[in-house]
CSV table of all heavy atoms in Angstrom, one decimal:
chain,number,residue,atom,x,y,z
A,10,MET,N,0.8,-1.2,0.0
A,10,MET,CA,0.0,0.0,0.0
A,10,MET,C,0.9,1.2,0.0
A,10,MET,O,1.7,1.4,0.9
A,10,MET,CB,-0.9,0.0,1.2
A,10,MET,CG,-2.0,1.1,1.2
A,10,MET,SD,-3.1,1.0,2.6
A,10,MET,CE,-2.2,1.7,3.9
A,11,PRO,N,0.7,2.1,-1.0
A,11,PRO,CA,1.5,3.3,-1.0
A,11,PRO,C,1.0,4.4,0.0
A,11,PRO,O,-0.2,4.3,0.4
A,11,PRO,CB,1.4,3.8,-2.5
A,11,PRO,CG,0.1,3.3,-2.9
A,11,PRO,CD,-0.2,2.0,-2.1
A,12,LEU,N,1.8,5.3,0.3
A,12,LEU,CA,1.3,6.5,1.1
A,12,LEU,C,0.5,7.3,0.1
A,12,LEU,O,0.9,7.9,-0.8
A,12,LEU,CB,2.5,7.3,1.6
A,12,LEU,CG,3.3,6.7,2.8
A,12,LEU,CD1,4.6,7.5,2.9
A,12,LEU,CD2,2.5,6.8,4.0
A,13,SER,N,-0.8,7.3,0.4
A,13,SER,CA,-1.7,7.9,-0.6
A,13,SER,C,-1.8,9.4,-0.5
A,13,SER,O,-1.3,10.0,0.5
A,13,SER,CB,-3.1,7.3,-0.4
A,13,SER,OG,-3.5,7.4,0.9
A,14,ASP,N,-2.3,10.1,-1.5
A,14,ASP,CA,-2.3,11.5,-1.6
A,14,ASP,C,-3.4,12.2,-0.8
A,14,ASP,O,-3.4,13.4,-0.7
A,14,ASP,CB,-2.4,11.9,-3.1
A,14,ASP,CG,-1.1,11.7,-3.8
A,14,ASP,OD1,-0.1,11.6,-3.1
A,14,ASP,OD2,-1.1,11.7,-5.0
A,15,ASP,N,-4.3,11.4,-0.2
A,15,ASP,CA,-5.5,12.1,0.4
A,15,ASP,C,-5.1,12.9,1.6
A,15,ASP,O,-5.9,13.7,2.1
A,15,ASP,CB,-6.6,11.0,0.7
A,15,ASP,CG,-6.1,10.0,1.7
A,15,ASP,OD1,-4.9,9.7,1.7
A,15,ASP,OD2,-7.0,9.4,2.4
A,16,MET,N,-4.0,12.6,2.2
A,16,MET,CA,-3.6,13.3,3.4
A,16,MET,C,-2.6,14.5,3.1
A,16,MET,O,-2.1,15.1,4.1
A,16,MET,CB,-3.0,12.4,4.5
A,16,MET,CG,-3.9,11.2,4.8
A,16,MET,SD,-5.4,11.7,5.6
A,16,MET,CE,-4.8,11.8,7.3
A,17,ARG,N,-2.2,14.6,1.9
A,17,ARG,CA,-1.2,15.6,1.5
A,17,ARG,C,-1.4,17.0,2.0
A,17,ARG,O,-0.5,17.6,2.4
A,17,ARG,CB,-1.1,15.6,-0.1
A,17,ARG,CG,0.1,16.1,-0.6
A,17,ARG,CD,0.2,15.8,-2.1
A,17,ARG,NE,0.8,14.5,-2.4
A,17,ARG,CZ,2.1,14.3,-2.5
A,17,ARG,NH1,3.0,15.3,-2.3
A,17,ARG,NH2,2.6,13.1,-2.7
A,18,ASP,N,-2.6,17.5,1.9
A,18,ASP,CA,-2.9,18.9,2.3
A,18,ASP,C,-3.5,19.0,3.7
A,18,ASP,O,-4.1,20.0,4.1
A,18,ASP,CB,-3.8,19.5,1.3
A,18,ASP,CG,-3.1,19.7,-0.1
A,18,ASP,OD1,-1.9,20.0,-0.1
A,18,ASP,OD2,-3.8,19.4,-1.1
A,19,VAL,N,-3.5,17.9,4.4
A,19,VAL,CA,-4.1,17.9,5.8
A,19,VAL,C,-3.0,18.1,6.8
A,19,VAL,O,-1.9,17.6,6.7
A,19,VAL,CB,-4.7,16.5,6.0
A,19,VAL,CG1,-5.4,16.5,7.4
A,19,VAL,CG2,-5.7,16.2,4.9
A,20,ASP,N,-3.4,19.0,7.8
A,20,ASP,CA,-2.5,19.2,8.9
A,20,ASP,C,-2.5,18.0,9.8
A,20,ASP,O,-3.5,17.6,10.3
A,20,ASP,CB,-2.9,20.5,9.7
A,20,ASP,CG,-2.5,21.8,8.9
A,20,ASP,OD1,-1.4,21.8,8.3
A,20,ASP,OD2,-3.3,22.7,9.0
A,21,LEU,N,-1.3,17.5,10.1
A,21,LEU,CA,-1.2,16.3,11.0
A,21,LEU,C,-0.3,16.6,12.2
A,21,LEU,O,0.7,17.3,12.0
A,21,LEU,CB,-0.6,15.1,10.2
A,21,LEU,CG,-1.3,14.7,8.9
A,21,LEU,CD1,-0.5,13.6,8.2
A,21,LEU,CD2,-2.7,14.2,9.2
A,22,LYS,N,-0.7,16.1,13.3
A,22,LYS,CA,0.0,16.3,14.5
A,22,LYS,C,0.8,15.1,14.8
A,22,LYS,O,0.3,14.0,14.8
A,22,LYS,CB,-0.9,16.7,15.7
A,22,LYS,CG,-0.1,17.2,16.9
A,22,LYS,CD,-1.0,17.7,18.0
A,22,LYS,CE,-1.4,16.6,18.9
A,22,LYS,NZ,-2.1,17.0,20.1
A,23,PHE,N,2.1,15.3,15.1
A,23,PHE,CA,3.0,14.2,15.5
A,23,PHE,C,3.7,14.6,16.8
A,23,PHE,O,4.2,15.7,16.9
A,23,PHE,CB,4.0,13.9,14.4
A,23,PHE,CG,4.8,12.7,14.6
A,23,PHE,CD1,4.4,11.5,14.1
A,23,PHE,CD2,6.0,12.7,15.2
A,23,PHE,CE1,5.1,10.3,14.3
A,23,PHE,CE2,6.8,11.6,15.4
A,23,PHE,CZ,6.3,10.3,15.0
A,24,GLU,N,3.7,13.7,17.7
A,24,GLU,CA,4.4,14.0,19.0
A,24,GLU,C,5.7,13.3,19.1
A,24,GLU,O,5.9,12.1,18.7
A,24,GLU,CB,3.5,13.5,20.2
A,24,GLU,CG,2.3,14.4,20.3
A,24,GLU,CD,1.4,14.0,21.5
A,24,GLU,OE1,1.7,13.0,22.1
A,24,GLU,OE2,0.4,14.6,21.7
A,25,CYS,N,6.7,14.0,19.6
A,25,CYS,CA,8.0,13.5,19.8
A,25,CYS,C,7.9,12.3,20.7
A,25,CYS,O,7.4,12.4,21.8
A,25,CYS,CB,8.9,14.6,20.4
A,25,CYS,SG,10.5,14.0,20.9
A,26,PRO,N,8.5,11.1,20.3
A,26,PRO,CA,8.4,10.0,21.2
A,26,PRO,C,9.3,10.1,22.4
A,26,PRO,O,9.1,9.4,23.4
A,26,PRO,CB,8.9,8.8,20.3
A,26,PRO,CG,9.7,9.5,19.2
A,26,PRO,CD,9.1,10.9,19.0
A,27,ASN,N,10.1,11.1,22.4
A,27,ASN,CA,11.0,11.3,23.6
A,27,ASN,C,10.5,12.2,24.6
A,27,ASN,O,10.5,11.9,25.8
A,27,ASN,CB,12.4,11.8,23.0
A,27,ASN,CG,13.5,11.8,24.1
A,27,ASN,OD1,13.6,10.8,24.7
A,27,ASN,ND2,14.2,12.8,24.2
A,28,CYS,N,9.9,13.3,24.2
A,28,CYS,CA,9.4,14.3,25.2
A,28,CYS,C,7.9,14.7,24.9
A,28,CYS,O,7.4,15.6,25.6
A,28,CYS,CB,10.3,15.6,25.1
A,28,CYS,SG,10.0,16.5,23.6
A,29,SER,N,7.3,14.1,23.9
A,29,SER,CA,5.8,14.4,23.6
A,29,SER,C,5.6,15.8,23.1
A,29,SER,O,4.4,16.2,23.0
A,29,SER,CB,4.9,14.2,24.9
A,29,SER,OG,5.0,12.8,25.3
A,30,TYR,N,6.6,16.5,22.7
A,30,TYR,CA,6.4,17.8,22.1
A,30,TYR,C,5.8,17.7,20.7
A,30,TYR,O,6.4,17.0,19.9
A,30,TYR,CB,7.8,18.6,22.1
A,30,TYR,CG,7.7,20.0,21.5
A,30,TYR,CD1,7.2,21.0,22.3
A,30,TYR,CD2,8.1,20.3,20.2
A,30,TYR,CE1,7.1,22.3,21.8
A,30,TYR,CE2,8.0,21.6,19.7
A,30,TYR,CZ,7.5,22.6,20.5
A,30,TYR,OH,7.4,23.8,20.0
A,31,PRO,N,4.7,18.3,20.5
A,31,PRO,CA,4.0,18.1,19.2
A,31,PRO,C,4.4,19.0,18.1
A,31,PRO,O,4.8,20.2,18.3
A,31,PRO,CB,2.5,18.4,19.6
A,31,PRO,CG,2.6,19.4,20.7
A,31,PRO,CD,3.9,19.2,21.4
A,32,ILE,N,4.5,18.5,16.9
A,32,ILE,CA,4.7,19.3,15.7
A,32,ILE,C,3.4,19.1,14.8
A,32,ILE,O,2.8,18.1,14.9
A,32,ILE,CB,5.9,19.0,14.9
A,32,ILE,CG1,5.9,17.5,14.5
A,32,ILE,CG2,7.2,19.2,15.7
A,32,ILE,CD1,6.9,17.2,13.4
A,33,VAL,N,3.1,20.2,14.1
A,33,VAL,CA,2.0,20.0,13.1
A,33,VAL,C,2.6,20.4,11.7
A,33,VAL,O,3.1,21.4,11.5
A,33,VAL,CB,0.9,21.0,13.5
A,33,VAL,CG1,-0.2,20.9,12.4
A,33,VAL,CG2,0.3,20.7,14.8
A,34,ARG,N,2.4,19.4,10.8
A,34,ARG,CA,2.9,19.6,9.4
A,34,ARG,C,1.9,19.0,8.5
A,34,ARG,O,1.1,18.2,8.9
A,34,ARG,CB,4.2,18.9,9.2
A,34,ARG,CG,5.4,19.4,10.1
A,34,ARG,CD,6.0,20.7,9.5
A,34,ARG,NE,7.2,21.0,10.2
A,34,ARG,CZ,7.3,21.6,11.4
A,34,ARG,NH1,6.2,21.9,12.1
A,34,ARG,NH2,8.5,21.9,12.0
A,35,LYS,N,2.0,19.4,7.2
A,35,LYS,CA,1.1,18.9,6.2
A,35,LYS,C,1.5,17.4,6.0
A,35,LYS,O,2.7,17.0,6.1
A,35,LYS,CB,1.3,19.6,4.9
A,35,LYS,CG,0.9,21.1,5.0
A,35,LYS,CD,-0.7,21.2,4.9
A,35,LYS,CE,-1.1,22.7,4.8
A,35,LYS,NZ,-2.3,22.9,5.5
A,36,GLY,N,0.6,16.6,5.5
A,36,GLY,CA,0.8,15.2,5.1
A,36,GLY,C,2.0,15.1,4.1
A,36,GLY,O,2.8,14.2,4.2
A,37,SER,N,2.0,16.1,3.2
A,37,SER,CA,3.1,16.1,2.1
A,37,SER,C,4.5,16.1,2.8
A,37,SER,O,5.4,15.6,2.2
A,37,SER,CB,2.9,17.2,1.2
A,37,SER,OG,2.9,18.4,1.8
A,38,TRP,N,4.6,16.8,3.9
A,38,TRP,CA,5.9,16.9,4.6
A,38,TRP,C,6.3,15.6,5.1
A,38,TRP,O,7.4,15.1,5.0
A,38,TRP,CB,5.8,18.0,5.7
A,38,TRP,CG,7.1,18.3,6.4
A,38,TRP,CD1,8.1,19.1,6.0
A,38,TRP,CD2,7.5,17.7,7.7
A,38,TRP,NE1,9.1,19.1,7.0
A,38,TRP,CE2,8.7,18.3,8.0
A,38,TRP,CE3,6.9,16.8,8.6
A,38,TRP,CZ2,9.5,18.0,9.1
A,38,TRP,CZ3,7.6,16.5,9.7
A,38,TRP,CH2,8.9,17.1,10.0
A,39,PHE,N,5.3,14.9,5.8
A,39,PHE,CA,5.6,13.6,6.4
A,39,PHE,C,6.0,12.6,5.3
A,39,PHE,O,6.8,11.7,5.5
A,39,PHE,CB,4.4,13.1,7.2
A,39,PHE,CG,4.2,13.8,8.5
A,39,PHE,CD1,3.3,14.8,8.6
A,39,PHE,CD2,5.0,13.5,9.6
A,39,PHE,CE1,3.1,15.5,9.8
A,39,PHE,CE2,4.9,14.2,10.8
A,39,PHE,CZ,3.9,15.1,10.9
A,40,ILE,N,5.4,12.7,4.1
A,40,ILE,CA,5.6,11.7,3.0
A,40,ILE,C,7.1,11.8,2.6
A,40,ILE,O,7.7,10.8,2.4
A,40,ILE,CB,4.7,12.0,1.8
A,40,ILE,CG1,3.3,11.6,2.2
A,40,ILE,CG2,5.2,11.2,0.6
A,40,ILE,CD1,2.2,12.0,1.1
A,41,VAL,N,7.7,13.0,2.6
A,41,VAL,CA,9.1,13.1,2.0
A,41,VAL,C,10.2,13.0,3.1
A,41,VAL,O,11.3,12.6,2.7
A,41,VAL,CB,9.3,14.4,1.2
A,41,VAL,CG1,8.4,14.5,0.0
A,41,VAL,CG2,9.0,15.6,2.1
A,42,ILE,N,9.9,13.3,4.3
A,42,ILE,CA,11.0,13.2,5.3
A,42,ILE,C,11.2,11.8,5.8
A,42,ILE,O,10.4,11.0,5.8
A,42,ILE,CB,10.7,14.2,6.5
A,42,ILE,CG1,9.4,13.8,7.2
A,42,ILE,CG2,10.8,15.6,6.1
A,42,ILE,CD1,9.5,13.4,8.6
A,43,ALA,N,12.4,11.6,6.3
A,43,ALA,CA,12.7,10.3,7.0
A,43,ALA,C,12.8,10.5,8.5
A,43,ALA,O,12.8,9.5,9.2
A,43,ALA,CB,14.1,9.8,6.5
A,44,GLY,N,12.8,11.7,8.9
A,44,GLY,CA,12.8,12.0,10.3
A,44,GLY,C,13.0,13.5,10.5
A,44,GLY,O,13.1,14.3,9.5
A,45,TYR,N,13.1,14.0,11.7
A,45,TYR,CA,13.3,15.4,12.0
A,45,TYR,C,14.0,15.5,13.4
A,45,TYR,O,14.1,14.6,14.1
A,45,TYR,CB,12.0,16.2,12.0
A,45,TYR,CG,11.0,15.8,13.1
A,45,TYR,CD1,11.0,16.7,14.2
A,45,TYR,CD2,10.2,14.7,13.1
A,45,TYR,CE1,10.1,16.4,15.3
A,45,TYR,CE2,9.4,14.4,14.2
A,45,TYR,CZ,9.3,15.3,15.3
A,45,TYR,OH,8.5,15.0,16.3
A,46,ILE,N,14.4,16.7,13.7
A,46,ILE,CA,15.0,17.0,15.0
A,46,ILE,C,14.0,17.8,15.8
A,46,ILE,O,13.5,18.8,15.4
A,46,ILE,CB,16.3,17.8,14.9
A,46,ILE,CG1,17.3,16.9,14.0
A,46,ILE,CG2,16.9,18.1,16.2
A,46,ILE,CD1,18.7,17.3,14.1
A,47,CYS,N,13.7,17.2,17.0
A,47,CYS,CA,12.7,17.8,17.9
A,47,CYS,C,13.2,19.2,18.3
A,47,CYS,O,14.3,19.3,18.8
A,47,CYS,CB,12.5,16.9,19.1
A,47,CYS,SG,11.3,17.6,20.3
A,48,ALA,N,12.3,20.2,18.2
A,48,ALA,CA,12.6,21.5,18.6
A,48,ALA,C,12.8,21.7,20.1
A,48,ALA,O,13.5,22.6,20.5
A,48,ALA,CB,11.6,22.5,18.1
A,49,LYS,N,12.3,20.8,20.9
A,49,LYS,CA,12.3,21.0,22.3
A,49,LYS,C,13.5,20.2,22.9
A,49,LYS,O,14.3,20.8,23.6
A,49,LYS,CB,11.0,20.5,23.0
A,49,LYS,CG,10.9,20.9,24.4
A,49,LYS,CD,9.6,20.4,25.0
A,49,LYS,CE,9.5,20.8,26.5
A,49,LYS,NZ,8.4,20.0,27.1
A,50,CYS,N,13.6,18.9,22.7
A,50,CYS,CA,14.6,18.1,23.3
A,50,CYS,C,15.8,17.8,22.4
A,50,CYS,O,16.7,17.1,22.8
A,50,CYS,CB,14.0,16.8,23.8
A,50,CYS,SG,13.6,15.6,22.6
A,51,ARG,N,15.7,18.2,21.1
A,51,ARG,CA,16.7,18.0,20.1
A,51,ARG,C,17.0,16.6,19.8
A,51,ARG,O,18.1,16.2,19.2
A,51,ARG,CB,18.1,18.7,20.6
A,51,ARG,CG,18.0,20.1,21.1
A,51,ARG,CD,17.4,21.0,20.1
A,51,ARG,NE,18.2,21.3,18.9
A,51,ARG,CZ,17.8,21.9,17.8
A,51,ARG,NH1,16.6,22.4,17.8
A,51,ARG,NH2,18.6,22.1,16.8
A,52,ALA,N,16.1,15.7,20.1
A,52,ALA,CA,16.2,14.3,19.7
A,52,ALA,C,16.0,14.1,18.2
A,52,ALA,O,15.3,14.9,17.6
A,52,ALA,CB,15.2,13.4,20.5
A,53,LYS,N,16.8,13.2,17.7
A,53,LYS,CA,16.6,12.9,16.3
A,53,LYS,C,15.5,11.9,16.2
A,53,LYS,O,15.6,10.7,16.7
A,53,LYS,CB,17.9,12.2,15.7
A,53,LYS,CG,18.8,13.2,15.2
A,53,LYS,CD,20.0,12.6,14.4
A,53,LYS,CE,21.1,13.6,14.1
A,53,LYS,NZ,22.3,12.9,13.7
A,54,VAL,N,14.3,12.3,15.6
A,54,VAL,CA,13.2,11.4,15.6
A,54,VAL,C,13.1,10.8,14.2
A,54,VAL,O,13.0,11.6,13.2
A,54,VAL,CB,11.9,12.2,15.9
A,54,VAL,CG1,10.7,11.3,15.8
A,54,VAL,CG2,12.0,12.9,17.2
A,55,ARG,N,13.2,9.5,14.1
A,55,ARG,CA,13.1,8.9,12.8
A,55,ARG,C,11.6,8.4,12.6
A,55,ARG,O,11.0,7.9,13.5
A,55,ARG,CB,14.0,7.6,12.8
A,55,ARG,CG,15.4,8.0,12.5
A,55,ARG,CD,16.2,6.8,12.1
A,55,ARG,NE,15.6,6.0,11.0
A,55,ARG,CZ,15.7,6.3,9.7
A,55,ARG,NH1,16.3,7.3,9.3
A,55,ARG,NH2,15.0,5.5,8.8
A,56,ILE,N,11.1,8.7,11.4
A,56,ILE,CA,9.8,8.2,11.1
A,56,ILE,C,9.9,7.2,9.9
A,56,ILE,O,10.1,7.7,8.8
A,56,ILE,CB,8.8,9.3,10.8
A,56,ILE,CG1,8.9,10.4,11.9
A,56,ILE,CG2,7.4,8.8,10.7
A,56,ILE,CD1,8.0,11.6,11.6
A,57,GLY,N,9.8,6.0,10.1
A,57,GLY,CA,10.0,5.0,9.1
A,57,GLY,C,8.7,4.8,8.2
A,57,GLY,O,7.7,5.4,8.6
A,58,TYR,N,8.8,4.1,7.2
A,58,TYR,CA,7.7,4.0,6.2
A,58,TYR,C,6.5,3.3,6.9
A,58,TYR,O,5.4,3.8,6.8
A,58,TYR,CB,8.2,3.2,5.0
A,58,TYR,CG,7.1,3.0,3.9
A,58,TYR,CD1,6.8,4.2,3.2
A,58,TYR,CD2,6.4,1.9,3.7
A,58,TYR,CE1,5.8,4.1,2.2
A,58,TYR,CE2,5.5,1.8,2.7
A,58,TYR,CZ,5.2,2.9,2.0
A,58,TYR,OH,4.2,2.8,1.0
A,59,GLN,N,6.7,2.2,7.6
A,59,GLN,CA,5.6,1.5,8.3
A,59,GLN,C,4.9,2.4,9.3
A,59,GLN,O,3.7,2.4,9.5
A,59,GLN,CB,6.1,0.2,9.0
A,59,GLN,CG,6.6,-0.8,8.0
A,59,GLN,CD,5.4,-1.3,7.0
A,59,GLN,OE1,4.3,-1.3,7.4
A,59,GLN,NE2,5.8,-1.5,5.8
A,60,GLU,N,5.8,3.2,10.0
A,60,GLU,CA,5.3,4.2,11.0
A,60,GLU,C,4.4,5.2,10.3
A,60,GLU,O,3.4,5.6,10.8
A,60,GLU,CB,6.5,4.8,11.7
A,60,GLU,CG,6.2,5.1,13.1
A,60,GLU,CD,7.5,5.5,13.8
A,60,GLU,OE1,8.6,5.1,13.4
A,60,GLU,OE2,7.4,6.3,14.7
A,61,LYS,N,4.8,5.7,9.1
A,61,LYS,CA,4.0,6.7,8.4
A,61,LYS,C,2.7,6.1,8.0
A,61,LYS,O,1.7,6.8,8.1
A,61,LYS,CB,4.8,7.1,7.1
A,61,LYS,CG,6.0,8.0,7.4
A,61,LYS,CD,6.6,8.4,6.1
A,61,LYS,CE,8.0,9.0,6.3
A,61,LYS,NZ,8.6,9.4,5.0
A,62,LEU,N,2.7,4.9,7.5
A,62,LEU,CA,1.4,4.2,7.1
A,62,LEU,C,0.5,4.2,8.3
A,62,LEU,O,-0.7,4.5,8.2
A,62,LEU,CB,1.7,2.8,6.6
A,62,LEU,CG,2.3,2.6,5.2
A,62,LEU,CD1,2.5,1.2,5.0
A,62,LEU,CD2,1.4,3.3,4.2
A,63,ALA,N,1.0,3.7,9.4
A,63,ALA,CA,0.1,3.6,10.6
A,63,ALA,C,-0.4,5.0,11.1
A,63,ALA,O,-1.5,5.2,11.5
A,63,ALA,CB,0.9,2.9,11.7
A,64,PHE,N,0.5,6.0,11.0
A,64,PHE,CA,0.2,7.3,11.4
A,64,PHE,C,-0.8,7.9,10.5
A,64,PHE,O,-1.8,8.6,11.0
A,64,PHE,CB,1.6,8.1,11.4
A,64,PHE,CG,1.5,9.6,11.6
A,64,PHE,CD1,1.0,10.1,12.7
A,64,PHE,CD2,1.9,10.4,10.5
A,64,PHE,CE1,1.0,11.5,12.9
A,64,PHE,CE2,1.8,11.8,10.7
A,64,PHE,CZ,1.4,12.3,11.9
A,65,PHE,N,-0.7,7.8,9.2
A,65,PHE,CA,-1.7,8.3,8.3
A,65,PHE,C,-3.0,7.6,8.5
A,65,PHE,O,-4.1,8.3,8.5
A,65,PHE,CB,-1.2,8.1,6.8
A,65,PHE,CG,-0.3,9.1,6.3
A,65,PHE,CD1,0.6,9.7,7.1
A,65,PHE,CD2,-0.4,9.5,5.0
A,65,PHE,CE1,1.4,10.7,6.6
A,65,PHE,CE2,0.4,10.5,4.5
A,65,PHE,CZ,1.3,11.1,5.3
A,66,GLU,N,-3.0,6.3,8.7
A,66,GLU,CA,-4.2,5.6,8.9
A,66,GLU,C,-5.0,6.0,10.2
A,66,GLU,O,-6.2,6.1,10.2
A,66,GLU,CB,-3.9,4.1,9.0
A,66,GLU,CG,-5.1,3.1,9.0
A,66,GLU,CD,-6.1,3.4,7.8
A,66,GLU,OE1,-5.6,3.8,6.7
A,66,GLU,OE2,-7.3,3.3,7.9
A,67,ARG,N,-4.2,6.3,11.2
A,67,ARG,CA,-4.8,6.8,12.4
A,67,ARG,C,-5.5,8.1,12.2
A,67,ARG,O,-6.6,8.3,12.7
A,67,ARG,CB,-3.7,6.9,13.5
A,67,ARG,CG,-4.1,6.8,14.9
A,67,ARG,CD,-3.0,6.4,15.8
A,67,ARG,NE,-1.9,7.4,15.8
A,67,ARG,CZ,-0.6,7.1,15.6
A,67,ARG,NH1,-0.2,5.8,15.3
A,67,ARG,NH2,0.3,8.0,15.6
A,68,HIS,N,-4.9,9.0,11.5
A,68,HIS,CA,-5.5,10.3,11.2
A,68,HIS,C,-6.7,10.2,10.3
A,68,HIS,O,-7.7,10.9,10.4
A,68,HIS,CB,-4.5,11.3,10.6
A,68,HIS,CG,-3.6,12.0,11.6
A,68,HIS,ND1,-2.5,11.4,12.2
A,68,HIS,CD2,-3.7,13.2,12.2
A,68,HIS,CE1,-2.0,12.2,13.1
A,68,HIS,NE2,-2.7,13.3,13.1
A,69,ARG,N,-6.6,9.2,9.4
A,69,ARG,CA,-7.7,9.0,8.5
A,69,ARG,C,-9.0,8.6,9.3
A,69,ARG,O,-10.1,9.1,9.0
A,69,ARG,CB,-7.3,7.9,7.5
A,69,ARG,CG,-7.9,8.1,6.1
A,69,ARG,CD,-7.3,7.1,5.2
A,69,ARG,NE,-6.1,7.7,4.5
A,69,ARG,CZ,-4.9,7.0,4.4
A,69,ARG,NH1,-4.8,5.8,4.8
A,69,ARG,NH2,-3.9,7.6,3.7
A,70,LYS,N,-8.8,7.7,10.2
A,70,LYS,CA,-9.9,7.3,11.1
A,70,LYS,C,-10.5,8.4,11.9
A,70,LYS,O,-11.7,8.5,12.1
A,70,LYS,CB,-9.4,6.1,12.0
A,70,LYS,CG,-9.4,4.8,11.2
A,70,LYS,CD,-9.1,3.7,12.2
A,70,LYS,CE,-8.9,2.4,11.4
A,70,LYS,NZ,-7.7,1.6,11.7
A,71,LEU,N,-9.6,9.3,12.4
A,71,LEU,CA,-10.0,10.4,13.2
A,71,LEU,C,-10.9,11.3,12.4
A,71,LEU,O,-11.9,11.9,12.9
A,71,LEU,CB,-8.8,11.2,13.8
A,71,LEU,CG,-8.0,10.5,14.9
A,71,LEU,CD1,-6.8,11.4,15.2
A,71,LEU,CD2,-8.9,10.4,16.2
A,72,ARG,N,-10.5,11.5,11.1
A,72,ARG,CA,-11.2,12.4,10.3
A,72,ARG,C,-12.6,11.9,9.9
A,72,ARG,O,-13.5,12.7,9.6
A,72,ARG,CB,-10.4,12.7,9.0
A,72,ARG,CG,-9.4,13.8,9.2
A,72,ARG,CD,-8.3,13.7,8.1
A,72,ARG,NE,-8.8,13.7,6.8
A,72,ARG,CZ,-9.1,14.8,6.1
A,72,ARG,NH1,-9.0,16.0,6.7
A,72,ARG,NH2,-9.5,14.7,4.9
A,73,ARG,N,-12.8,10.6,10.0
A,73,ARG,CA,-14.1,10.0,9.6
A,73,ARG,C,-15.1,10.2,10.7
A,73,ARG,O,-16.3,10.0,10.5
A,73,ARG,CB,-13.9,8.5,9.3
A,73,ARG,CG,-13.4,8.3,7.9
A,73,ARG,CD,-13.6,6.9,7.5
A,73,ARG,NE,-12.6,6.4,6.6
A,73,ARG,CZ,-11.7,5.5,7.0
A,73,ARG,NH1,-11.7,5.0,8.2
A,73,ARG,NH2,-10.7,5.2,6.1
A,74,GLN,N,-14.7,10.4,11.9
A,74,GLN,CA,-15.6,10.5,13.0
A,74,GLN,C,-16.4,11.7,13.1
A,74,GLN,O,-16.0,12.8,12.6
A,74,GLN,CB,-14.8,10.3,14.4
A,74,GLN,CG,-14.4,8.9,14.6
A,74,GLN,CD,-13.3,8.8,15.7
A,74,GLN,OE1,-13.0,9.8,16.3
A,74,GLN,NE2,-12.8,7.6,15.9
B,121,ZN,ZN1,11.4,15.9,21.9
């Protein structure tokens, strides 16, 4: 299953697994990045492909409610 385009223009919230500091970015940003550096704790947060799939699916379900 590819990362589909339906979340591309949607604002998604992702929390740092280290300190829970949230970031909000468009789906298109999450599709292209492999990770980011947390602005609060400076941890290198890696977001793998499977993680992106699960993350997108979670937001998709939230939007249906
Ligand atoms: Zn952090």
Side-chain angles (χ1 to χ4, degrees):
M10 189 176 78
L12 284 167
S13 52
D14 284 343
D15 63 332
M16 304 297 274
R17 199 169 272 275
D18 294 320
V19 181
D20 284 323
L21 304 174
K22 191 172 90 168
F23 189 89
E24 289 181 359
C25 172
N27 194 44
C28 71
S29 297
Y30 182 77
I32 59 164
V33 177
R34 298 281 190 281
K35 298 280 187 215
S37 55
W38 185 82
F39 286 101
I40 289 171
V41 296
I42 55 118
Y45 70 98
I46 299 200
C47 176
K49 192 178 177 197
C50 73
R51 311 303 293 172
K53 274 187 190 167
V54 180
R55 280 193 51 80
I56 311 177
Y58 185 73
Q59 292 301 325
E60 213 172 332
K61 289 181 191 179
L62 284 179
F64 171 64
F65 274 38
E66 188 55 33
R67 205 157 61 234
H68 276 80
R69 213 171 270 135
K70 281 186 184 132
L71 285 174
R72 276 157 56 81
R73 279 197 214 111
Q74 285 167 3

